[in-house]
Amino acid sequence: ERAREVLESAKRRDTNSLGVEAMDLLSAYGIPIPEGEIVDGETEAREAAERIDHGDGVVMKIVSPDILHKSDIGGVEVGVPAEEVADTYEDLVTRARNYQSDATILGVQIQEMLDLDAATETIVGMNRDPQFGPLVLFGLGGIFVEVLEDTTVKVAPVSEPEARAMIDEIESAPLLRGARGREPVDEAGVVETIQRLSQLVTDFPAILELDINPLVATPSGVSAVDVRLTID
Ligand code: ADP
Ligand code: MG
């Protein structure tokens, strides 16, 4: 139900590109997301940051359907301390305006700061192939996704054994499984996320494309930190 609402509100806004404002779509399908809120204005930003800051500051991201790669335009700031939240809010909006003066700006997302020390950034995505239908993709995420192109795909719906096999299939699998004395990440969490995304796109044919990038995988769990989707 919540998932349907998210998609319908996008339709009402007459946009087919959604970003972190669609985070609830993921949590409606049981995919873990970081604590976060979208705010409109410095005061709201400060109040939200106070609630969300667990001691390492917060992450702030511009929320705009016109900005696909937020960090490329300086639209993501990590580890923002309380006293810099208001200024950062202004900076993010200014950078978005400089990038595209008529960009639709929905606000700024204030997100819980995750500890990426023991984490691996992965990507879980989907796009519809005219011949095969919905293809679910898994691979190494974050800034590495383009550079290393270490990804694998399966046709949705993806079964549990298939989701497990997807992890085996990428070259960076050892990175997830504790290479070089690293602690292995929550592989079951990754497998579940692949399956849940597969279920989501099977239930909603209107979703043409969806990327969770990154899905942060840590030894204690996974978290979908960023999402982008295109709807019909
Ligand atoms: P975009 O892909 O649009 O540039 P992301 O939301 O993916 O924006 O953020 C870019 C990068 O910032 C991520 O790949 C990650 O390394 C870091 N990051 C984003 N959100 C968080 C967070 N909540 N905690 C820690 N690091 C984060
Ligand atoms: Mg991203």
Side-chain angles (χ1 to χ4, degrees), residues 13-183:
R13 285 206 327 268
D14 203 26
T15 180
N16 35 28
S17 175
L18 284 85
V20 288
E21 71 274 19
M23 218 62 143
D24 288 354
L25 193 59
L26 303 180
S27 60
Y29 271 74
I31 298 172
I33 60 170
E35 204 182 330
E37 243 177 84
I38 294 172
V39 298
D40 179 16
E42 292 174 31
T43 309
E44 260 188 51
R46 249 190 269 114
E47 287 163 2
E50 212 167 289
R51 287 189 289 274
I52 292 169
D53 193 341
H54 301 307
D56 303 314
V58 293
V59 179
M60 296 177 67
K61 306 181 189 185
I62 194 74
V63 185
S64 164
D66 299 313
I67 298 169
L68 299 187
H69 301 288
K70 298 176 287 299
S71 30
D72 287 357
I73 65 131
V76 177
E77 291 287 345
V78 300
V80 182
E83 64 274 17
E84 283 171 23
V85 167
D87 284 348
T88 303
Y89 184 96
E90 287 306 306
D91 289 346
L92 292 174
V93 172
T94 304
R95 288 173 201 158
R97 289 267 170 254
N98 288 342
Y99 167 73
Q100 187 184 322
S101 54
D102 65 346
T104 299
I105 295 172
L106 300 176
V108 165
Q109 187 192 38
I110 311 285
Q111 203 175 55
E112 164 191 8
M113 179 74 191
L114 299 179
D115 178 10
L116 298 186
D117 281 352
T120 303
E121 295 192 32
T122 65
I123 178 171
V124 184
M126 182 281 298
N127 83 63
R128 290 188 196 271
D129 181 89
Q131 195 178 351
F132 299 105
L135 295 180
V136 173
L137 170 142
F138 172 72
L140 209 61
I143 55 168
F144 298 116
V145 65
E146 285 101 21
V147 185
L148 299 180
E149 291 184 15
D150 188 11
T151 56
T152 182
V153 293
K154 295 242 186 286
V155 179
V158 177
S159 70
E160 187 180 331
E162 281 176 323
R164 286 190 186 288
M166 289 178 90
I167 301 179
D168 296 328
E169 281 163 16
I170 66 166
E171 278 172 45
S172 321
L175 210 64
L176 296 168
R177 290 174 170 155
R180 298 186 169 213
R182 286 161 60 94
E183 222 186 311

